[in-house]
Every structure is written in structure tokens, then in C-alpha cells.
């Protein structure tokens, strides 16, 4: 039952129906309050709505239950970057690297943080690493090209 409900919630989230997704996730959490997948999805719903305080609370709850939860650490890193708390964002992203050192997404997120800090060299290094790990990572190529364009490098 919970598995089917979660699938409906995740499918609703994927098509952008955040209201339905949230309603279903809250139903799941009323029955299984420590359901990590549901907590992560609720955090993602809040993040999609730019309700970062609520999203942070959800992801921190996941980390209370599972301190090395990769997805929650990564999502928190992205949120703190959006909130311009780059020090916290980098700390979280670096921790995710200890869990998955070959994640192109993490290097991409790290590049985004460095880019926001105007640390071009470190951003370029991070995007290059993301591309090395995933040669089809279009967003990393795009951000790398933008940095080269702005720095005058080719």
C-alpha cells in the first residue's frame, strides 16, 4: 500500500503536480513518520516551491535518521547555495564526495558553488571533473563554456 502511494506521489512530483504529491506524501508520513523516501520527497517539494526553511527541516530530519544520506546532503548543499551560504553548501557537498567520490553531479554542484563565489579556477576544475566522470553532462559543459567565455580563455 505505502509503496503504491509513494509511486503515485513521485509520479505526481515528476509531472509538476506538487499539490497532489504533497497530499500523498503527508498521508504516507502520517502512517510511517520515519519513511526516509517520503521525507526526502517532501523536502524536494518544498525546495521546488522555494520554501527552503521547510525543505531544510525535512532533509535534516532524514539526516537524523540516516546521517550519511547522500540525497539529503546533496539537496541541502544545493539549497544553501541558493541561500548564498556557500561555506555550509561546500561543507555538505564535500561530505557527499566522501560517500560517492565518483559522482559527476556532486562535482557539478561544487562547480556551481565556486562559480557563485566567483572562484573561477576551482569552478573550472570541478566542472572538468564532472565531465570526466560523465562525458555527456551537458550542463557541466555549458557552465564550463560560460566560465571560459567570461574569463577570456578558450
Amino acid at each position: 500500500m505505502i509503496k503504491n502511494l509513494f509511486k503515485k506521489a513521485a509520479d505526481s512530483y515528476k509531472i509538476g503536480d506538487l499539490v497532489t504529491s504533497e497530499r500523498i506524501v503527508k498521508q504516507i508520513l502520517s502512517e510511517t513518520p520515519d519513511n526516509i523516501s517520503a521525507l526526502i520527497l517532501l523536502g524536494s517539494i518544498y525546495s521546488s516551491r522555494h520554501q527552503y526553511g521547510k525543505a531544510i527541516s525535512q532533509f535534516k530530519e532524514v539526516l537524523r535518521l540516516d546521517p550519511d544520506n547522500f540525497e539529503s546532503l546533496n539537496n541541502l548543499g544545493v539549497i544553501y547555495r541558493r541561500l548564498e551560504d556557500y561555506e555550509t553548501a561546500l561543507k555538505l557537498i564535500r561530505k557527499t564526495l566522501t560517500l560517492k567520490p565518483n559522482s559527476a553531479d556532486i562535482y557539478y554542484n561544487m562547480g556551481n558553488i565556486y562559480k557563485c563565489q566567483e572562484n573561477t579556477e576551482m569552478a573550472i576544475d570541478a566542472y572538468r571533473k564532472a565531465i570526466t566522470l560523465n562525458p555527456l553532462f551537458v550542463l557541466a559543459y555549458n557552465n564550463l563554456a560560460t566560465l571560459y567565455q567570461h574569463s577570456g580563455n578558450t
Side-chain angles (χ1 to χ4, degrees), residues 23 44 48 50-51 97 104 129 136 145:
R23 180 180 48 77
S44 297
S48 293
H50 305 276
Q51 295 174 314
L97 278 177
K129 181 70 173 176
L136 301 176

Side-chain angles (χ1 to χ4, degrees), residues 69-79 92-93 96 105-106 109:
N69 186 280
F70 175 83
E71 193 171 353
S72 288
L73 289 165
N74 182 50
N75 288 337
L76 280 170
V78 170
I79 290 170
L92 290 160
I93 293 300
T96 63
D105 290 333
I106 296 306
N109 288 337

